[in-house]
Amino acid sequence: MKFRRYPTQDHPLSRIALSLIAIGVVTLFLVLPLATVFTEALRKGLGVAWEALDDPDARAAVRLTLITAAIAVPLNAVFGVAASWAIAKFDFKGKQFLTTLIDLPFSISPVVSGLIYVLIFGLQGWFGESLREANVKIIFAVPGIVLATIFITFPFVARELIPLMEDQGRDEEEAATSLGASGWDTFMRVTLPNIRWGLLYGVLLCNARAMGEFGAVSVVSGHIRGLTNTMPLHVEVLYNDYQFVGAFAVASLLALLALVTLVLKSLLEWRFADDIAATHRH
Amino acid sequence: MSAAGFRFRNPSALPGFGLSLGFTVFYLSVIVLIPIAALIVRPWEIGFSGFWNVISDPRVLAALRLSFGGAAIAAVINAVTGPIVAWVLVRYNFPGKRLLDALIDLPFALPTAVAGIALSQLYSANGWVGEPLSHLGIRIAYTPIGVIIALTFIGLPFVVRTLQPVLNDLSRDPEEAAATLGANRWQTITRVVLPSLMPALLTGATLAFARAVGEYGSVIFIAGNLPTVSEIAPLLIVIKLEQYDYAGAAAIGVVMLAASFAVILALNLLQNWIGKRR
Amino acid sequence: MSLVVDSIVKKFERFPALNGVSLTAPQGAFLALVGPSGSGKTTLLRILGGLEFPDSGSVHFADLNWLDVPARDRRAGFVFQQYALFKHMTVEKNIAFGLTVRAKKLRPPKEEIARRVEELLALVQLEGYNKRYPSQLSGGQKQRVALARALAIEPRMLLLDEPFGALDAKVRKELRGWLRAIHERMGITTVFVTHDQEEAFALADLVAVMNAGKIEQYGTPQDVRRAPKTPFVADFIEVQAGI
Ligand SMILES: Nc1ncnc2c1ncn2[C@@H]1O[C@H](COP(=O)(O)OP(=O)(O)O)[C@@H](O)[C@H]1O
Ligand SMILES: [Mg+2]
């Protein structure tokens, strides 16, 4: 019997053409830039790349990046849990508006996100004078970097947990409460086990952005080598200094971080599809 | 603080409302709302005319035009390629599909500075893509085209990830109905499938546009940053800050913030409109 | 010009959905496929419509090897259980769809299409609903639009897959009589799928009782009722009548 094509199937030639376009787009825009990072880092051999990473300024940048993420991520995780508890488990006026406000940092330019803190804490900012008198440095110092990073990564955990907890409803918590469990017990024993994979998913994305943020941090950092350079800023400094191998070597560390994030993310989507927000289930 | 005092919420048996909402609002205000307020009030210390002088400076106008225009062009490019990528990922099966799917999120996960130097190298005159193009007399790095390339890179996942679930849930019945009514595949795609993807496509393209307007890290390396040619608005903010021109920086920042609000508003209207049509 | 279905076998992942189905119906017949859920009714109907292909067997209709005709050239009007209306098109655009997608040479002029839409709207008793969207219609109205859309292409064959399945009992009864009237008027060969034997017997000239991918009995409603050939048919009629 001759081959017959289903009416919802595309013509074999269209399939090939569309597949090639898709693969071409992904290769051109995603694969090639990624490959460039690693080949440029290794252009002069592993040894030279390693030297760039072993440099004290590079190590200081790695340390600052880790410290920043270690402060910003837990804070935003706690916020995300609190916000989603309030929004998903209770009905109150202005809930929709609150959700929109939480998403706000996503739609603001990273540079503007840094700018707002300069306007408050910078030398000519609202508190600039008093901070100088008290000898507290926020802008061009670590606190500013942490603040800007918190702002940028603010919505990640919350926007993951809000739809998830809304999906899960309130029955289990209400049952636990009616059985006499305290609020804390209810949260720890009922809610947290239900949201743990969603929470991890949000923390994963939050962390990737916290370690990789550039624009906002760049505005508040002042680019002081060894002191206020995070890894992405160090990449910029080296690149503008024509130290390309060094720049790409540090960049490849960040690219590895991105790849690990993508692998873990795909793993979570695949293995725990039912335990993360519905929009991520493929 | 006792939750019983709140009149604006429905009664609930669960505890912790006051604490969780209180913390949420406090943290939101300190981190997000108050700083944004600081931005909004700042430019007016130079008066409206001062504000206007900053904004109407040809260099600033050119930068705003590039940021908005480039973002719009990139969104249109993604509105064409994004549906093709999503269609291939949802409808076809081939080896390596899972890998392709995972890679789509790369622009979300890869730090923008890394993307920036990689794109710059790739499209420069000695890069893998830039070199063959330079023989044809086409320059991408350090031109507005480079800016558009970077903005397209950053926006692609927004379109693909918005379309994918919609395409997955799309019933095949209307496609089959169209075939039994005599439509060929092209007519079915253009008249039946694409219109039902339109709301998601618009949403995805708007998100990509919003992200691209304010994008900084992935652009500045490939752009070359020639004033009035390939200089983007966020970079001008940085430059003004370096000159301690806080009011000028804030003026540009306010314009960009207003654009963000406009996009959020547009998205909400779009969602409402979609909700009504269903 | 009769419909001849011969020894159709269709397997999904090695499980046979149709296991040697044959039947013959004269031109213009109203044929009902009836049987429990999963017995293969939809699969057979989709094969007739060109939406599915058998592993073996043949179908002849209108002097054609029907299986070699692509769905879009069959002019087999298909009515889906879930309506499958085009949500972004108005009622009139939905009905006109089959005419507007025709090649330029075969496409009727605009006024002619508009006239046909009006005629069909009158036929399905939805005059004045031209500009409504499917979301603004009730279930019964949607199914009538779906039928008008299928009739617009002047189908050689009308295929209906449990078209009233999603509707409540009262609307079902109404639409039933009305569908029969349309068939009487147009004389299109019609295959109607239902799991409700009462509906099948009330509507059809010929009834095929299906079970597990096979036709248990095929004949006029009177014959099937009077002399059930197999215990399954006897049981199926009885159980359903007892409800
Ligand atoms: N696309 C498909 N893939 C796998 N199995 C299918 C498919 N379509 C139908 N089947 C199976 O074939 C059998 C007959 O299905 P169907 O023709 O839909 O029955 P009916 O319409 O009588 O309820 C069922 O067991 C069903 O599960
Ligand atoms: Mg069926």
Side-chain angles (χ1 to χ4, degrees):
Chain A
M1 195 172 286
K2 76 174 210 184
F3 173 76
R4 286 160 174 137
R5 184 149 36 92
Y6 286 83
T8 53
Q9 257 176 359
D10 297 334
H11 190 278
L13 288 180
S14 323
R15 294 171 70 90
I16 293 173
L18 291 178
S19 302
L20 286 180
I21 292 176
I23 292 171
V25 166
V26 171
T27 306
L28 192 66
F29 283 109
L30 308 178
V31 178
L32 287 183
L34 192 61
T36 301
V37 174
F38 293 108
T39 46
E40 289 298 317
L42 298 174
R43 177 169 289 266
K44 299 204 172 119
L46 203 58
V48 181
W50 176 250
E51 254 170 48
L53 296 179
D54 206 26
D55 168 84
D57 288 347
R59 274 189 289 170
V62 173
R63 202 174 312 122
L64 181 56
T65 292
L66 292 177
I67 290 172
T68 305
I71 300 171
V73 175
L75 275 177
N76 283 338
V78 169
F79 163 74
V81 170
S84 54
W85 178 267
I87 288 172
K89 304 290 178 194
F90 300 91
D91 294 315
F92 56 93
K93 287 207 179 72
K95 191 157 130 169
Q96 191 54 46
F97 185 59
L98 185 62
T99 314
T100 307
L101 285 183
I102 289 174
D103 270 349
L104 204 54
F106 269 160
S107 37
I108 293 180
S109 169
V111 169
V112 175
S113 311
L115 169 69
I116 58 181
Y117 291 107
V118 176
L119 294 181
I120 294 181
F121 300 115
L123 259 188
Q124 302 166 42
W126 276 0
F127 303 131
E129 273 306 308
S130 20
L131 283 172
R132 199 168 56 155
E133 274 158 26
N135 215 3
V136 177
K137 261 197 109 155
I138 292 183
I139 298 306
F140 301 160
V142 175
I145 291 174
V146 173
L147 269 178
T149 305
I150 291 177
F151 181 95
I152 286 287
T153 58
F154 184 86
F156 276 97
V157 177
R159 74 146 36 179
E160 211 51 56
L161 290 185
I162 291 169
L164 179 64
M165 276 164 78
E166 276 178 341
D167 257 12
Q168 289 174 344
R170 303 164 193 181
D171 300 353
E172 291 187 38
E173 282 82 3
E174 278 166 1
T177 312
S178 72
L179 291 172
S182 71
W184 179 248
D185 277 345
T186 304
F187 175 76
M188 289 305 283
R189 298 209 203 156
V190 178
T191 311
L192 198 57
N194 278 339
I195 61 167
R196 61 178 176 220
W197 297 114
L199 181 61
L200 188 63
Y201 192 92
V203 164
L204 184 72
L205 300 186
C206 183
N207 180 64
R209 185 68 194 265
M211 291 191 170
E213 177 49 28
F214 176 69
V217 171
S218 165
V219 171
V220 295
S221 130
H223 295 86
I224 309 165
R225 271 193 177 208
L227 281 180
T228 63
N229 270 349
T230 60
M231 286 168 78
L233 295 177
H234 193 56
V235 169
E236 183 196 19
V237 168
L238 291 175
Y239 190 85
N240 288 343
D241 222 18
Y242 302 103
Q243 301 183 39
F244 294 129
V245 170
F248 279 104
V250 179
S252 61
L253 270 191
L254 289 167
L256 279 179
L257 169 76
L259 288 179
V260 170
T261 303
L262 286 187
V263 169
L264 290 177
K265 178 173 170 294
S266 301
L267 216 64
L268 281 175
E269 280 162 9
W270 169 64
R271 180 75 181 73
F272 300 105
D274 293 341
D275 303 314
I276 55 179
T279 41
H280 302 299
R281 297 170 199 155
H282 303 237
Chain B
M1 177 164 61
S2 155
F6 281 93
R7 289 182 100 202
F8 68 97
R9 76 164 173 123
N10 292 335
S12 162
L14 296 179
F17 177 68
L19 182 65
S20 61
L21 186 68
F23 177 66
T24 300
V25 171
F26 170 75
Y27 191 73
L28 179 73
S29 307
V30 170
I31 299 288
V32 179
L33 300 182
I34 295 173
I36 289 180
L39 169 65
I40 295 174
V41 300
R42 186 70 193 228
W44 313 111
E45 67 189 29
I46 49 176
F48 184 78
S49 63
F51 176 83
W52 188 249
N53 279 342
V54 174
I55 296 306
S56 58
D57 172 21
R59 186 173 171 189
V60 174
L61 277 182
L64 286 170
R65 198 179 309 126
L66 180 61
S67 277
F68 283 89
I73 293 171
V76 169
I77 294 173
N78 282 324
V80 175
T81 56
I84 295 176
V85 174
W87 182 262
V88 168
L89 285 177
V90 172
R91 289 291 176 100
Y92 301 168
N93 270 315
F94 51 90
K97 180 171 133 167
R98 204 179 257 288
L99 182 69
L100 198 70
D101 190 74
L103 269 176
I104 299 295
D105 283 327
L106 189 69
F108 286 157
L110 194 69
T112 53
V114 177
I117 64 169
L119 288 170
S120 176
Q121 168 62 29
L122 188 61
Y123 287 92
S124 73
N126 56 5
W128 291 333
V129 181
E131 208 214 307
L133 287 178
S134 72
H135 293 309
L136 299 172
I138 303 173
R139 274 187 56 211
I140 290 184
Y142 318 130
T143 70
I145 302 177
V147 175
I148 291 169
I149 296 266
L151 297 182
T152 308
F153 164 85
I154 212 75
L156 180 67
F158 288 95
V159 177
V160 176
R161 290 299 188 229
T162 315
L163 281 175
Q164 250 177 324
V166 178
L167 207 45
N168 241 331
D169 292 346
L170 200 67
S171 162
R172 303 277 179 111
D173 286 0
E175 281 174 66
E176 296 189 329
T180 63
L181 292 168
N184 62 32
R185 193 66 186 139
W186 176 249
Q187 291 169 322
T188 305
I189 300 278
T190 52
R191 300 195 194 182
V192 175
V193 179
L194 277 182
S196 44
L197 294 180
M198 220 47 197
L201 185 56
L202 271 175
T203 305
T206 309
L207 289 171
F209 172 79
R211 171 68 200 262
V213 165
E215 182 54 22
Y216 178 70
S218 60
V219 179
I220 52 162
F221 297 99
I222 196 175
N225 309 326
L226 279 170
T228 74
V229 176
S230 61
E231 188 176 60
I232 54 170
L235 179 65
L236 260 189
I237 295 180
V238 173
I239 291 173
K240 292 217 180 280
L241 273 182
E242 278 167 0
Q243 299 161 347
Y244 292 98
D245 177 8
Y246 281 22
I252 305 174
V254 162
V255 172
M256 308 214 55
L257 190 69
S260 309
F261 287 155
V263 169
I264 293 174
L265 187 68
L267 265 179
N268 277 328
L269 292 177
L270 190 66
Q271 302 298 349
N272 263 341
W273 174 71
I274 295 165
K276 276 205 194 102
R277 294 256 321 240
R278 289 252 161 90
Chain C
M1 282 263 286
S2 56
L3 169 67
V4 182
V5 176
D6 189 21
S7 321
I8 293 285
V9 174
K10 173 69 189 179
K11 294 188 168 109
F12 290 111
E13 288 134 24
R14 277 184 286 161
F15 169 82
L18 292 176
N19 204 358
V21 168
S22 305
L23 59 79
T24 307
Q27 162 73 22
F30 196 124
L31 174 66
L33 302 178
V34 63
S37 178
S39 55
K41 309 179 297 287
T42 296
T43 306
L44 180 56
L45 198 74
R46 288 170 57 83
I47 288 173
L48 292 177
L51 303 176
E52 196 72 73
F53 301 102
D55 302 325
S56 64
S58 68
V59 178
H60 286 268
F61 182 70
D63 300 324
L64 290 167
N65 185 352
W66 199 235
L67 295 179
D68 282 345
V69 184
R72 68 187 184 93
D73 296 330
R74 286 191 191 190
R75 271 178 43 220
F78 206 110
V79 177
F80 296 77
Q81 181 171 359
Q82 296 300 331
Y83 326 120
L85 292 177
F86 307 130
K87 290 195 182 66
H88 57 281
M89 292 183 203
T90 57
V91 165
E92 63 180 14
K93 291 257 164 60
N94 263 282
I95 295 175
F97 184 84
L99 300 173
T100 53
V101 295
R102 283 192 190 163
K104 263 222 176 73
K105 277 179 294 180
L106 304 171
R107 195 186 312 153
K110 265 209 180 94
E111 310 76 55
E112 168 69 11
I113 292 181
R115 201 181 54 72
R116 290 267 281 283
V117 168
E118 287 303 330
E119 257 175 41
L120 285 160
L121 278 172
L123 182 71
V124 299
Q125 296 162 2
L126 284 174
E127 291 110 323
Y129 281 72
N130 307 44
K131 302 288 181 201
R132 298 266 193 119
Y133 283 93
S135 59
Q136 300 166 311
L137 300 178
S138 72
Q141 290 171 332
K142 281 184 201 166
Q143 203 53 291
R144 282 186 275 160
V145 174
L147 187 68
R149 182 178 70 174
L151 290 172
I153 59 169
E154 295 175 321
R156 296 192 272 201
M157 181 191 269
L158 197 55
L159 305 169
L160 306 106
D161 191 1
E162 309 210 20
F164 310 144
L167 307 176
D168 60 56
K170 188 168 160 287
V171 182
R172 269 178 103 110
K173 280 243 167 68
E174 256 172 53
L175 288 186
R176 198 190 279 178
W178 167 84
L179 177 66
R180 181 72 217 185
I182 288 183
H183 178 258
E184 230 109 84
R185 168 125 57 110
M186 305 199 160
I188 305 166
T189 308
T190 302
V191 184
F192 181 93
V193 164
T194 175
H195 61 259
D196 175 356
Q197 56 99 7
E198 197 222 314
E199 191 167 77
F201 288 168
L203 269 171
D205 310 325
L206 288 163
V207 176
V209 183
M210 294 188 66
N211 178 36
K214 290 200 143 153
I215 294 184
E216 295 268 337
Q217 186 168 2
Y218 180 50
T220 62
Q222 297 80 356
D223 288 348
V224 175
R225 233 193 224 131
R226 197 165 356 105
K229 256 199 212 150
T230 67
F232 173 83
V233 176
D235 220 38
F236 186 72
I237 293 173
E238 200 153 300
V239 169
Q240 287 226 337
I243 294 173

